[in-house]
Structures are given as C-alpha cells and as structure tokens.
C-alpha cells in the first residue's frame, strides 16, 4: 500500500468516526431513548431479523453480556422482543417490534433531513460504492468472511 493510499484510508476512517460521533452527540437519539449502540442494533435487526444476543455481540465486537444490557434496554422501551430459540433453548432470539420499526423510521427520517443537502450532492451509485467499500475494509481488518459477518 502506498503512502498516499494509507493517508487516504486514514482520512476515511477519521471522517467515519467523526460522523459517528456527530450522530452520537445529536439530541435526536436521546429524545427517542436511544444510544448509538441501541440505534445500530435496531438497524442490524431491520436488515437481518431473528438474531441471537450472541450473534449481535459478535457483529459489534461486544461481549454477550454487554450486548444483553443493550438489548434489555431496548426491550424495556418496547423496541425489541426476546424469544426463546426453539433450536437452542439457552440462546434467546432478538426480534424488532413494530415500535422498534417506528422509532428506527423516525431516526432515519431525521438523519435524512440533517444530512439531506450533503447526501443530495452524492449520486446514489457513489453512495452504494462507498458503502460496499467500507464493508470490504471492515471485513479485511476483522478477518471475517462476508457470510460470517452477516451471521
């Protein structure tokens, strides 16, 4: 990897962290009783239903215990529901509720409004390509395969 490529990569990472930090510090999540972690869990569940607490923990590089705390807070708010996994009785499945879908929709509507001008300047094809590239970088660094990462 050339020095220029390394610098570009570092810039991408710093900007991604800065964006995540800006979202975290924005009041819209707190107004809905969400933390960034809670919002990300809801996002993950909206894309892939029926995940165990352990699978969610692995997806976010968190311990099962830490993920269970996040999931319990979401369950208290009615955003997710825990069910016994019939295949593995000790593992509990996490399901997104209708309220969870509604709060996620509300957050994403506010994010779209906040980011609207900046996003409107970027062609959809470029956003898709950027998202795929960030996913590839994540997989490369974590050593995961696409199948494992989606589990």
């Amino acid at each position: 990897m050339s020095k220029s490529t390394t610098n570009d990569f570092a810039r991408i990472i710093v900007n991604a962290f800065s964006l995540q930090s800006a979202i975290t510090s924005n009041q819209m999540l707190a107004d809905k009783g969400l933390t960034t972690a809670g919002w990300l869990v809801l996002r993950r569940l909206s894309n892939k239903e029926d995940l165990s607490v352990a699978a969610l923990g692995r997806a976010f590089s968190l311990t099962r215990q830490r993920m269970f705390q996040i999931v319990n807070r979401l369950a208290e708010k009615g955003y997710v529901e825990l069910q016994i996994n019939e295949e593995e009785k000790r593992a509990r499945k996490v399901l997104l509720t209708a309220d969870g879908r509604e709060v996620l929709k509300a957050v994403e509507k506010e994010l779209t409004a906040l980011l609207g001008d900046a996003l409107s300047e970027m062609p959809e094809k470029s956003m898709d390509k950027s998202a795929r590239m960030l996913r590839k970088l994540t997989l490369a660094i974590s050593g995961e395969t696409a199948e494992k990462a989606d589990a």
Side-chain angles (χ1 to χ4, degrees), residues 12-150:
I12 290 168
I13 298 304
V14 167
N15 286 327
F17 278 122
S18 295
L19 176 59
Q20 188 271 337
S21 179
I23 290 169
T24 300
S25 64
N26 190 290
Q27 191 61 34
M28 81 174 145
L29 291 178
D31 289 347
K32 291 165 182 51
L34 287 173
T35 61
T36 303
W39 170 59
L40 293 173
V41 167
L42 294 180
R43 288 273 312 131
R44 182 70 170 210
L45 290 170
S46 73
N47 292 324
K48 185 168 178 68
E49 282 273 352
D50 197 8
L51 292 171
S52 69
V53 173
L56 282 167
R58 284 190 302 274
F60 293 103
S61 299
L62 297 172
T63 65
R64 186 173 49 231
Q65 293 80 7
R66 179 67 184 117
M67 183 53 68
F68 200 71
Q69 291 172 340
I70 294 166
V71 167
N72 275 340
R73 276 194 226 109
L74 292 171
E76 287 170 6
K77 298 194 178 311
Y79 297 154
V80 300
E81 177 183 337
L82 291 165
Q83 289 185 351
I84 299 294
N85 185 341
E86 293 302 322
E87 297 164 12
E88 189 181 333
K89 301 287 185 196
R90 293 184 324 171
R92 299 181 75 189
K93 297 187 294 187
V94 184
L95 304 169
L96 191 60
T97 64
D99 285 348
R101 287 187 195 289
E102 285 301 312
V103 77
L104 187 58
K105 189 188 231 180
V107 166
E108 298 198 351
K109 184 177 179 180
E110 285 188 47
L111 269 176
T112 300
L114 284 171
L115 302 174
D117 289 340
L119 291 175
S120 67
E121 294 174 15
M122 185 177 212
E124 190 172 327
K125 194 172 185 177
S126 294
M127 286 200 311
D128 185 51
K129 187 175 181 180
S130 297
R132 280 195 322 267
M133 182 51 65
L134 284 171
R135 186 72 181 138
K136 281 183 180 182
L137 293 171
T138 301
L139 291 173
I141 290 171
S142 67
E144 294 184 34
T145 61
E147 298 80 34
K148 184 177 177 186
D150 291 334

